[in-house]
Amino acid sequence: MKHKVIRYIKYSAVAVVCVFMTACAKVFPNGDLDNFWRLNTIEYTAGTDFEGNPCNIDTCIGRAYYSFAMDLVEIDYHDISSYYSMIGAMTRMQDSILIDFSVYNDEHQSGFVPDGGDHSIHTPADILKYVRMCGMETLKEKFAIDKLDSQSMILSNSKVILTFEKW
């Protein structure tokens, strides 16, 4: 009987340790980045937007959101009459991230969802139009992480400075 109690205690202790070890493991490896971020401004460093129109800062508050989780990024954009959502790949380096929506170059692989649910296929030009409204000139962009804390984030490259707040 005494051996059964000791064996029960040992197995219980191992089980408790295993539970605590798995409970403490990080689910999302980019803990400070993995979240839902509202894009507040796009600052065009050359003084013109991606189409060449004069523009220093575009205030985007409430129109565009970036969501990061593990190796994925989702951009949601909405205006008065439409909603667009795109999911792409994200690679994080020490002080920068690569955001990649190039899968949408193939019209038959499009996961682009406009108007809140129309799952029809759209051209890469349509998709590029919406990522440009969200601060990306092309479907694949690298950004330096200039600031990242519990409330705000600033990403930049040679063309833009994107400011976000955690949402």
Side-chain angles (χ1 to χ4, degrees):
M1 176 80 168
K2 182 177 178 183
H3 292 294
K4 287 184 180 182
V5 171
I6 292 173
R7 192 177 311 151
Y8 175 76
I9 292 171
K10 284 181 183 178
Y11 289 136
S12 296
V14 169
V16 168
V17 168
C18 289
V19 167
F20 279 114
M21 288 178 69
T22 58
C24 295
K26 288 181 99 175
V27 175
F28 296 106
N30 305 306
D32 51 348
L33 177 64
D34 289 340
N35 217 308
F36 192 60
W37 297 90
R38 180 175 73 179
L39 178 62
N40 288 336
T41 61
I42 302 170
E43 180 179 344
Y44 297 97
T45 57
T48 58
D49 66 15
F50 298 134
E51 283 73 40
N53 302 314
C55 183
N56 289 322
I57 294 180
D58 181 10
T59 303
C60 314
I61 295 176
R63 290 185 296 172
Y65 297 86
Y66 281 57
S67 301
F68 296 99
M70 298 194 68
D71 297 331
L72 297 175
V73 60
E74 179 178 14
I75 294 180
D76 296 306
Y77 178 87
H78 60 89
D79 57 22
I80 294 171
S81 61
S82 303
Y83 171 79
Y84 302 88
S85 179
M86 298 143 291
I87 296 176
M90 185 269 300
T91 305
R92 181 168 182 187
M93 288 69 79
Q94 290 296 99
D95 59 349
S96 63
I97 59 172
L98 176 67
I99 298 174
D100 185 359
F101 291 100
S102 62
V103 67
Y104 296 118
N105 278 326
D106 181 355
E107 292 184 33
H108 301 291
Q109 297 296 320
S110 177
F112 178 67
V113 181
D115 300 324
D118 173 9
H119 293 278
S120 59
I121 295 173
H122 292 267
T123 68
D126 291 336
I127 297 159
L128 183 60
K129 173 183 158 184
Y130 290 99
V131 297
R132 284 183 160 200
M133 288 185 210
C134 299
M136 293 181 56
E137 184 176 24
T138 65
L139 295 178
K140 191 174 187 176
E141 291 285 337
K142 185 175 181 179
F143 293 97
I145 301 172
D146 296 332
K147 178 182 179 184
L148 180 58
D149 62 33
S150 64
Q151 298 300 313
S152 61
M153 174 172 63
I154 298 174
L155 302 178
S156 67
N157 62 21
S158 62
K159 304 274 186 164
V160 295
I161 299 170
L162 309 176
T163 60
F164 297 85
E165 75 177 284
K166 192 174 279 186
W167 195 246

